[in-house]
Amino acid sequence: MKAIFRDTYCSPDALQLGDIDKPTIGHDDVLVRVHAAGVDQGAWHLVTGLPYLLRLAGFGLRTPKTRVPGHDVAGRVEAVGQNVTRFQPGDQVLGTCDGSFAEYAGAHHDAFVHKPSTITFEQAAALPASACAALQGLRDKGRLQAGQKVLITGAGGGVGTFAVQLAKAYQAHVTGVCRTTKTELVRSIGADDVIDHTREDFADRPGRYDLILDTAGNRPLSHLRRTLTPTGTLVIVGGAQTGRWTEGADRQLRAGMLSPLIRQNLTGLMSTPRRQDLQTLTELIETGKLTPIIDRTYPLSQAPQALQYLRSGHATGKITLTL
């Protein structure tokens, strides 16, 4: 089968499109014919092996454990293991796996849910990692309640566009922070207020927020704290694109150490797509409360260009690959 693969950590430009063996599946697994794959920061980390901290966490110290990058996937079920009863060949699904940048991918059946008929495969592939991060950041870490004031930085990005819509679905008052080119999109998906960070510093506003979901990854904790209410919550999603060892994860570590000493709740998020969360998200899609926003779609052969565009920071919403 055709796949994007590499045998060593490398820059995206060094990725190859070639033939590898089709995945084999176990009794509890599902084999999916990939129609689209999501491109997110996790895929870039898998390719480059950066920051180094992730290699120690299980990516593989000197060489990658997974030859084919990509986690988010949408497609049709090709085959199922003998213990699988939730799916049958031909079903349209979305979910996560190891190696979605390929014609076929397989994983445990709990990694997949049925794809809503109201969205495309490209939109479905955009959902798992980023939408689960937004949901878990707001609901689980942020304990979002109806009527609260929420600030979302990076509101025009992959996680941010989901977070704006989810916060509105939870009946919060949402302020989105983004660059000039994304303000209209952020407003169109439900933000009550939009701040153009190239023209205004949100911390200079007199209002304070019950919850900040920081997806932009480069603001000091002190800057974010003075925008919170005295007992507000800051949830840090991701980090700045600097530092070969931690790439901004030190902010999450410092937030965790500071939080017990103050009234504000400062925390980081390491999200993991879960079946029950994917089900919640697909239900919101089916009721019209959530729509994946796609910026660009590339063919599989242009995965290097897709990853480079992702790291440019200019994407509005999500990037996907199609096969």
Side-chain angles (χ1 to χ4, degrees):
M1 69 170 186
K2 295 293 183 182
I4 293 289
F5 67 95
R6 79 278 189 258
D7 294 313
T8 61
Y9 293 118
C10 62
S11 71
D13 291 340
L15 289 172
Q16 304 175 52
L17 176 64
D19 292 308
I20 63 173
D21 294 336
K22 184 187 295 187
T24 57
I25 60 171
H27 295 328
D28 298 309
D29 298 339
V30 172
L31 180 67
V32 173
R33 173 69 168 90
V34 179
H35 285 241
V39 180
D40 61 13
Q41 296 295 341
W44 186 88
H45 294 314
L46 281 171
V47 170
T48 61
L50 297 173
Y52 294 135
L53 187 63
L54 293 177
R55 300 192 191 191
L56 300 175
F59 276 28
L61 191 58
R62 294 184 177 276
T63 58
K65 289 185 178 180
T66 304
R67 295 182 71 202
V68 179
H71 283 303
D72 292 359
V73 65
R76 296 180 188 273
V77 174
E78 180 80 6
V80 299
Q82 65 182 36
N83 295 336
V84 178
T85 58
R86 295 175 51 235
F87 302 107
Q88 60 184 1
D91 284 352
Q92 298 183 11
V93 297
L94 65 90
T96 59
C97 63
D98 287 335
S100 63
F101 290 9
E103 290 183 303
Y104 294 91
H108 191 277
H109 68 88
D110 278 341
F112 300 100
V113 296
H114 288 94
K115 181 184 80 68
S117 60
T118 54
I119 59 173
T120 65
F121 283 111
E122 290 78 15
Q123 289 176 305
L127 192 74
S130 294
C132 281
L135 179 65
Q136 293 168 18
L138 292 169
R139 183 196 63 191
D140 302 342
K141 290 285 189 175
R143 300 186 182 277
L144 179 61
Q145 301 294 319
Q148 287 187 322
K149 292 184 177 180
V150 180
L151 181 78
I152 299 168
T153 69
V159 175
T161 50
F162 286 118
V164 169
Q165 297 176 77
L166 288 169
K168 289 304 298 180
Y170 280 90
Q171 301 178 6
H173 183 280
V174 180
T175 298
V177 181
C178 59
R179 66 178 62 197
T180 308
T181 55
K182 302 181 182 182
T183 55
E184 289 306 313
L185 181 278
V186 172
R187 189 172 289 109
S188 73
I189 59 176
D192 300 288
D193 191 14
V194 181
I195 299 173
D196 181 350
H197 70 74
T198 68
R199 300 179 179 179
E200 180 183 0
D201 187 340
F202 62 79
D204 292 337
R205 290 198 172 188
R208 294 294 177 261
Y209 300 93
D210 302 295
L211 170 61
I212 297 177
L213 190 74
D214 179 44
T215 75
N218 57 8
R219 291 174 175 83
L221 292 180
S222 58
H223 191 85
L224 294 164
R225 283 190 59 206
R226 65 187 173 97
T227 313
L228 278 176
T229 62
T231 57
T233 296
L234 165 66
V235 180
I236 301 173
V237 182
Q241 296 182 8
T242 57
R244 297 180 71 84
W245 277 98
T246 64
E247 198 173 86
D250 57 299
R251 285 195 318 147
Q252 299 190 21
L253 297 174
R254 286 187 283 111
M257 291 186 290
L258 178 61
S259 188
L261 307 178
I262 60 176
R263 295 174 65 197
Q264 294 169 328
N265 178 28
L266 314 181
T267 184
L269 175 71
M270 294 295 289
S271 62
T272 301
R274 299 185 295 248
R275 174 183 165 187
Q276 58 268 37
D277 289 341
L278 290 174
Q279 197 64 56
T280 296
L281 293 165
T282 57
E283 289 169 1
L284 288 168
I285 288 173
E286 288 167 342
T287 58
K289 295 181 179 179
L290 184 67
T291 301
I293 306 299
I294 304 297
D295 181 311
R296 295 185 184 182
T297 297
Y298 294 80
L300 180 63
S301 61
Q302 292 183 15
Q305 292 91 321
L307 287 166
Q308 296 287 13
Y309 181 57
L310 170 75
R311 293 295 283 185
S312 75
H314 296 304
T316 300
K318 292 288 294 181
I319 304 165
T320 58
L321 301 176
T322 57
L323 291 87

